[in-house]
């Protein structure tokens, strides 16, 4: 039975985060992105979120490029090739190179719609088993170490189970040492967003004294060779983020020994189907995974909650509660973190309702495509 799409709607939203987020590549506070809504002939509605940024500094995609790819290629492909299961979307779109975040935004809406048509939760549709997930928090670079210590304390009080700190040259091992002095036993990791090269190896080796859970993407954004060399020289597990765009990348990185942990971001790998395959492959190879974040609003956050319910997501992810980012989120109820835990919703699809008033409040453009 085909999925009977009636129309696809792109809602372009603009939302301001309650804090500026600084990484080794820049500072963000205003978020512009698309919510994709897939509607079937019975009036069921599935939602996905595009996670690219307006500026291509995390991957090459942008909000604008997502719109062009979705409008010019992905929607016409879906119109011309009726599908009966969301797993068919990835192979259909794989005729186009790259543009994983654009593909994932559409595929996410199709997965949510499918789960609603079946009357099951998205988590269940994906093969998720956990009813609750452990979550950590990602803290951007702060003006001073005092500010950072204050932030960490606040999030630990809220129950977050691990702290991820952004690092960059000049703001790394000394800063981490200060933090370790104050929080000797807290699960802490560092994320460099590709700010270093093998020339920094002596500094990176010093990280081994700090008992970090892992160091995320220390070297170049598309590298697996130098990461393999580095992993041989340091004890701290390397986690790859930017370098992993596909199951193929994950297989090669594991084969080379480039990492001991993988951060799965649904948008970066082209959707939920590929995320499940990477999860399964990592599980077979004893590589734990966790779910990364892209400062998502509620719809993307809900997708992250669903994928994290799979069994090999054994490390706390970056899926913090809605109130970490937004005065008001676009879903009801909002994503709530209590004692470092999010309960995986059991209702149909993503299990959260899209808040129509909020959608309208933040919407700056609406585009409709008949299927
Ligand atoms: O809270 C979140 O959604 C995670 C934030 C976070 O760490 C990241 C968001 C966006 C781009 C990156 O800097 C990044 C990451 O690298 O994991
Ligand atoms: Mg990262």
């Amino acid at each position: 039975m085909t999925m009977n799409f009636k129309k696809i709607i792109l809602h372009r939203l603009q939302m301001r985060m309650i804090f500026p987020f600084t990484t080794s590549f820049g500072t963000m506070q205003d978020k512009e992105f698309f919510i994709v809504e897939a509607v079937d002939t019975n009036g069921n509605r599935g939602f996905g979120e595009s996670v690219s940024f307006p500026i291509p500094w995390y991957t090459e995609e942008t909000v604008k490029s997502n719109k062009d790819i979705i409008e010019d290629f992905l929607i016409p492909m879906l119109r011309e090739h009726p599908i009966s299961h969301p797993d068919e979307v990835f192979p259909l779109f794989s005729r186009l190179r790259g543009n994983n975040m654009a593909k994932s935004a559409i595929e996410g809406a199709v997965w949510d719609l499918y789960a609603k048509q079946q009357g099951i939760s998205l988590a269940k549709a994906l093969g998720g088993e956990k009813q609750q997930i452990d979550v950590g928090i990602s803290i951007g670079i702060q003006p001073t170490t005092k500010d950072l210590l204050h932030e960490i304390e606040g999030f630990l009080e809220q129950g977050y189970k691990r702290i991820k700190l952004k690092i960059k040259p000049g703001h790394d091992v000394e800063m981490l040492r200060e933090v370790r002095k104050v929080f000797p036993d807290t699960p802490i990791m560092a994320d460099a967003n590709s700010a270093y090269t093998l020339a920094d190896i002596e500094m990176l080796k010093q990280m081994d004294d700090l008992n970090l859970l892992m160091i995320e993407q220390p070297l170049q954004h598309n590298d697996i060779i130098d990461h393999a060399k580095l992993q041989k020289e340091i004890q701290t597990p390397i986690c790859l983020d930017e370098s992993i765009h596909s199951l193929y990348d994950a297989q090669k990185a594991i084969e080379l020994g480039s990492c001991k942990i993988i951060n799965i971001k649904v948008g970066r790998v082209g959707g939920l189907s590929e995320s499940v395959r990477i999860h399964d492959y990592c599980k077979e190879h004893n590589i734990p995974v966790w779910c990364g974040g892209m400062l998502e609003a509620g719809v993307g956050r809900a997708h992250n909650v669903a994928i994290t319910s799979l069994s090999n997501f054994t490390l706390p992810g970056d899926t913090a509660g809605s109130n970490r980012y937004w005065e008001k989120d676009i879903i009801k109820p909002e994503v709530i973190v209590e004692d470092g835990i999010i309960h995986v919703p059991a209702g149909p699809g993503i299990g959260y309702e899209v808040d129509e008033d909020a959608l309208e409040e933040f919407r700056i453009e609406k585009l409709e495509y008949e299927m």
Side-chain angles (χ1 to χ4, degrees), residues 209-255:
D209 303 334
L210 294 165
N211 187 27
L212 300 177
L213 277 179
M214 68 193 91
I215 176 164
E216 185 178 347
Q217 197 72 34
L219 309 179
Q220 194 166 312
H221 68 93
N222 52 5
D223 167 79
I224 54 174
I225 306 278
D226 283 358
H227 281 99
K229 290 181 188 161
L230 177 63
Q231 185 66 90
K232 285 192 184 73
E233 300 290 325
I234 62 173
Q235 301 299 314
T236 309
I238 292 176
C239 169
L240 287 178
D241 174 356
E242 281 90 329
S243 293
I244 306 296
H245 305 98
S246 59
L247 172 62
Y248 178 90
D249 287 345
Q251 288 168 331
K252 300 298 154 192
I254 292 169
E255 192 179 321

Side-chain angles (χ1 to χ4, degrees), residues 58 164 166 191 193 216-217 241-242 263 265 290 318:
Y58 172 77
K164 163 165 142 182
K166 292 286 183 178
D191 184 4
N193 289 109
E216 185 178 347
Q217 197 72 34
D241 174 356
E242 281 90 329
N263 163 347
K265 282 186 187 166
W290 56 277
D318 279 345

Side-chain angles (χ1 to χ4, degrees), residues 23 25 53 138 164 166 191 193 241 265 293-295 325:
T23 69
F25 53 63
F53 298 139
S138 174
K164 163 165 142 182
K166 292 286 183 178
D191 184 4
N193 289 109
D241 174 356
K265 282 186 187 166
M294 289 292 287
L295 310 166
Y325 310 84

Side-chain angles (χ1 to χ4, degrees), residues 62-283:
T62 67
V63 181
K64 267 195 201 161
S65 76
N66 280 184
K67 188 222 155 206
D68 286 350
I69 294 291
I70 289 173
E71 185 175 270
D72 295 350
F73 302 107
L74 304 183
I75 290 178
M77 279 173 147
L78 218 47
R79 200 182 275 134
E80 283 156 29
H81 299 88
I83 59 160
S84 51
H85 191 279
D87 272 335
E88 294 165 43
V89 176
F90 186 89
L92 179 64
F93 290 172
S94 67
R95 287 163 51 207
L96 302 182
R97 299 264 163 89
N99 295 287
N100 283 351
M101 292 177 180
K103 293 171 178 173
S104 172
I106 295 270
E107 195 235 36
V110 174
W111 265 107
D112 181 33
L113 180 65
Y114 173 81
K116 284 169 177 161
Q117 288 175 344
Q118 303 297 312
I120 58 172
S121 70
L122 177 60
K124 183 162 185 222
L126 295 169
E129 294 162 20
K130 291 186 267 170
Q131 280 158 21
Q132 56 180 53
I133 60 167
D134 289 342
V135 291
I137 190 121
S138 174
I139 301 179
I141 292 169
Q142 301 297 311
T144 66
T145 305
K146 194 171 161 225
D147 293 322
L148 178 60
L149 294 171
H150 182 72
E151 286 273 297
I152 297 172
E153 199 183 334
F155 289 123
L156 289 175
E157 271 165 22
Q158 289 175 44
Y160 285 99
K161 298 209 168 184
R162 72 100 172 95
I163 302 286
K164 163 165 142 182
L165 301 177
K166 292 286 183 178
I167 55 169
K168 65 176 183 182
H171 182 87
D172 40 44
V173 74
E174 287 307 321
M175 175 275 286
L176 291 167
R177 259 190 212 118
E178 293 293 310
V179 172
R180 257 290 168 247
K181 262 189 230 152
V182 183
F183 301 99
D185 304 318
T186 302
I188 292 174
M189 59 174 287
D191 184 4
N193 289 109
S194 304
Y196 301 97
T197 69
L198 283 181
D200 301 300
I201 196 152
E202 289 312 316
M203 187 282 295
L204 292 164
K205 278 183 181 170
Q206 291 177 43
M207 299 245 182
D208 279 349
D209 303 334
L210 294 165
N211 187 27
L212 300 177
L213 277 179
M214 68 193 91
I215 176 164
E216 185 178 347
Q217 197 72 34
L219 309 179
Q220 194 166 312
H221 68 93
N222 52 5
D223 167 79
I224 54 174
I225 306 278
D226 283 358
H227 281 99
K229 290 181 188 161
L230 177 63
Q231 185 66 90
K232 285 192 184 73
E233 300 290 325
I234 62 173
Q235 301 299 314
T236 309
I238 292 176
C239 169
L240 287 178
D241 174 356
E242 281 90 329
S243 293
I244 306 296
H245 305 98
S246 59
L247 172 62
Y248 178 90
D249 287 345
Q251 288 168 331
K252 300 298 154 192
I254 292 169
E255 192 179 321
L256 279 177
S258 319
C259 63
K260 293 181 179 165
I261 298 170
I262 287 181
N263 163 347
I264 295 181
K265 282 186 187 166
V266 178
R268 196 190 66 234
V269 303
L272 290 163
S273 296
E274 187 77 343
S275 297
V276 171
R277 281 188 287 272
I278 295 172
H279 163 274
D280 293 351
Y281 185 85
C282 287
K283 187 172 179 177

